[in-house]
């Protein structure tokens, strides 16, 4: 359970979460019309810090994430996390009535997040030229696989394609193995973080100019950026980074090592002083005096010898002993956790990294907490993902849509 000084407010049973209006983004209204996964995740991040996020879903199909992945009692667990802190509204944007209702909502909104293929909003008569006429302060965040223009713009775009085309997969995996994709939405997650940052950059600009603008975010680009200086290295040196497994071309020893009890640990020696401490710890201090040891890149060229020394020492001890010895030597090590370990780690518990939230369908459930701690305006999880259309009548009425129109909208067949 959260303590007052964590900079995050919990919504566990018996606790009161921070009032959205008092939170950092409590004055923002966000219309989330995106699906799977970067756009909706960006909206979740904004909602975690108080933005009123209104999730607009197809009246018949709903958001695909509701049935994506693991379920319990027929209820999608991914939705409970991704849909948290969002009001849910059924609205079919492909109908004339749906578009008119959406325009009324746009008039009172700050941000729209969408991820349709380029041209879809324009085909519906909801391009930024139309929306900005209604609300010149509106920020339209467009999250697609390849951006709004260029030869690939109209291709279907998913995170997997970005992981492939960014160069990530080509450098991931063992040297003699195939390119390796991550077993989770890595590119989508990075794009979501970037989208939230882009939206708030546009909000800040609006505070100076008084006008909104379009955010054009291609999922391929943020992951390419976090891969480091590969394009610069290739441009200047003609070097193409190759797969190295868990090793690094910048330092060694750097790898994962199996312990005597069948667990794994990861060791990093990015700093010279850490590398020296590791070699003293494993009983090979003479390697420190080798001419090549003082350079991380040179150590990487002797990775076989260093891995044999470190791996041999670790293989004779169980995980707890290895971690304790590294900590006492002030060397960098971490156990390789699975999700069970994450939930038991005392540091994660102290930070409330995995928090408990009360869900009306499934009771108390654990999920990742908000991303960071703010000392004055903490974020909070105020609700898990709500039932489809739970807030349709209340939200549409607030934006000036009459009860008869609401009834027709929610029953509209495409």
């Amino acid at each position: 359970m959260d303590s007052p000084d964590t900079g995050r407010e919990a919504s566990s049973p018996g606790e009161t979460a921070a009032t959205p209006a008092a939170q950092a983004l409590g004055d923002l209204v966000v219309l989330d019309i995106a699906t799977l996964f970067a756009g909706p995740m960006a909206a979740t991040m904004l909602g975690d810090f108080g933005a009123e996020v209104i999730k607009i879903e197809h009246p018949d199909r709903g958001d695909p994430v509701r049935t994506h992945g693991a379920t319990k009692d027929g209820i999608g667990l991914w939705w409970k996390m991704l849909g948290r802190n969002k009001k849910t509204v059924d609205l079919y944007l492909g109908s004339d009535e749906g578009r008119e209702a959406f325009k009324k909502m746009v008039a009172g909104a700050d941000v729209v997040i969408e991820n349709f293929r380029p041209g879809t909003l324009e085909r519906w008569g909801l391009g930024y030229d139309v929306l900005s006429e209604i609300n010149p302060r509106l920020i339209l965040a467009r999250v697609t696989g390849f951006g709004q223009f260029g030869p690939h713009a109209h291709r279907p775009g998913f995170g997997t394609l970005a992981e492939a085309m960014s160069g990530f997969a080509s450098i991931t995996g063992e040297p003699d193995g195939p390119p390796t994709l991550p077993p989770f939405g890595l590119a989508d997650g990075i794009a979501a973080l970037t989208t939230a940052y882009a939206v708030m950059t546009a909000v800040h600009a609006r505070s100076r100019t008084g006008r909104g603008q379009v955010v054009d975010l291609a999922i391929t680009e943020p992951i390419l950026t976090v891969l480091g200086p590969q394009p610069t290295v290739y441009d200047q040196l003609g070097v193409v980074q190759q797969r190295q497994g868990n090793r690094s071309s910048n330092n060694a020893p750097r790898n994962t090592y199996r312990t005597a009890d069948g667990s794994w640990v990861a060791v990093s020696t990015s700093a010279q002083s850490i590398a020296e401490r590791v070699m003293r710890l494993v009983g090979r201090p003479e390697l420190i005096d080798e001419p090549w040891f003082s350079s991380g890149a040179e150590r990487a060229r002797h990775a076989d010898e260093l891995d044999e020394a470190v791996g041999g020492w670790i293989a004779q001890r169980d995980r707890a002993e290895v971690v304790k010895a590294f900590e006492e030597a002030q060397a960098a090590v971490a156990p390789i956790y699975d999700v069970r370990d994450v939930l038991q780690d005392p540091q994660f518990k102290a930070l409330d990294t995995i928090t408990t939230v009360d869900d009306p369908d499934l009771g108390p459930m654990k999920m990742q907490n908000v991303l960071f701690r703010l000392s004055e305006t903490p974020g909070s999880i105020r609700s898990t993902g709500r039932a489809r259309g739970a807030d349709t009548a209340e939200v549409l009425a607030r934006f000036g849509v009459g009860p008869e129109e609401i009834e027709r909208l929610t029953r509209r067949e495409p």
Side-chain angles (χ1 to χ4, degrees), residues 43-357:
T44 302
M45 293 171 184
L46 298 174
D48 283 350
F49 286 88
E52 181 186 16
V53 179
I54 300 170
K55 178 68 181 179
I56 297 176
E57 301 178 74
H58 191 289
D60 299 322
R61 297 192 294 266
D63 191 302
V65 80
R66 289 184 179 274
T67 57
H68 200 92
T71 64
K72 180 180 179 181
D73 300 336
I75 299 170
L77 299 180
W78 203 334
W79 167 253
K80 288 298 183 181
M81 175 197 171
L82 195 63
R84 73 189 192 192
N85 292 337
K86 298 181 183 183
K87 296 180 178 179
T88 56
V89 170
D90 281 348
L91 192 65
Y92 177 51
L93 299 182
S95 70
D96 291 338
E97 288 178 319
R99 286 190 288 271
E100 290 307 309
F102 181 69
K103 289 177 181 178
K104 290 179 181 179
M105 298 176 74
V106 164
D110 296 282
V111 180
V112 172
I113 300 178
E114 65 99 0
N115 68 340
F116 300 108
R117 290 197 202 183
T120 301
L121 285 188
E122 287 75 10
R123 189 172 68 250
W124 288 343
L126 297 174
Y128 190 68
D129 56 339
V130 174
L131 301 183
S132 61
E133 280 289 327
I134 299 169
N135 181 357
R137 293 176 56 81
L138 183 73
I139 294 160
L140 176 62
R142 316 194 77 167
V143 185
T144 57
F146 301 99
Q148 294 295 309
F149 57 91
H152 301 335
H154 290 274
R155 290 184 182 180
F158 296 99
T160 298
L161 307 187
E163 289 147 10
M165 294 179 68
S166 64
F168 171 84
S170 74
I171 64 170
T172 305
E174 293 300 322
D176 57 352
T180 302
L181 296 168
F184 65 100
L186 176 63
D188 281 307
I190 297 172
L193 287 161
T194 309
T195 300
Y197 162 59
V199 165
M200 295 315 302
T201 300
V203 168
H204 178 73
R206 188 181 67 177
S207 70
R208 296 186 292 110
T209 67
R211 293 192 59 83
Q213 59 185 298
V214 175
V215 172
D216 176 7
L217 188 134
I219 296 174
T220 49
E221 293 182 310
I223 186 171
L224 201 159
T225 296
V226 303
L227 288 176
Q230 288 184 58
T232 306
V233 171
Y234 176 72
D235 173 65
Q236 296 296 307
L237 301 175
V239 174
V240 177
Q241 185 171 337
Q242 303 298 307
R243 291 188 289 282
Q244 302 175 82
N246 293 314
R247 287 178 172 178
S248 169
S249 59
N250 299 314
N251 64 81
R254 193 265 197 183
N255 214 325
T256 59
Y257 306 92
R258 191 178 181 91
T259 61
D261 56 355
S263 299
W264 292 83
V265 296
V267 172
S268 174
T269 57
S270 297
Q272 179 67 23
S273 59
I274 299 295
E276 294 175 4
R277 291 170 192 166
V278 170
M279 302 321 297
R280 292 190 184 99
L281 173 64
V282 303
R284 296 296 302 276
E286 75 279 3
L287 292 176
I288 299 172
D289 297 325
E290 293 287 345
W292 47 263
F293 195 87
S294 61
S295 163
E298 287 296 320
R299 292 201 310 274
R301 294 186 179 95
H302 292 78
D304 286 345
E305 183 176 0
L306 294 172
D307 275 346
E308 182 180 357
V310 175
W313 185 89
I314 288 175
Q316 299 174 28
R317 295 159 175 82
D318 63 27
R319 187 173 81 174
E321 184 182 355
V322 170
V323 172
K324 184 174 185 292
F326 267 73
E327 288 181 347
E328 289 176 350
Q330 298 184 46
V333 70
I336 304 294
Y337 278 175
D338 63 22
V339 67
R340 296 166 296 185
D341 299 312
V342 169
L343 265 60
Q344 294 302 316
D345 183 85
Q347 181 64 25
F348 288 147
K349 286 185 176 181
L351 296 176
D352 199 31
T353 303
I354 306 298
T355 195
T356 302
V357 187

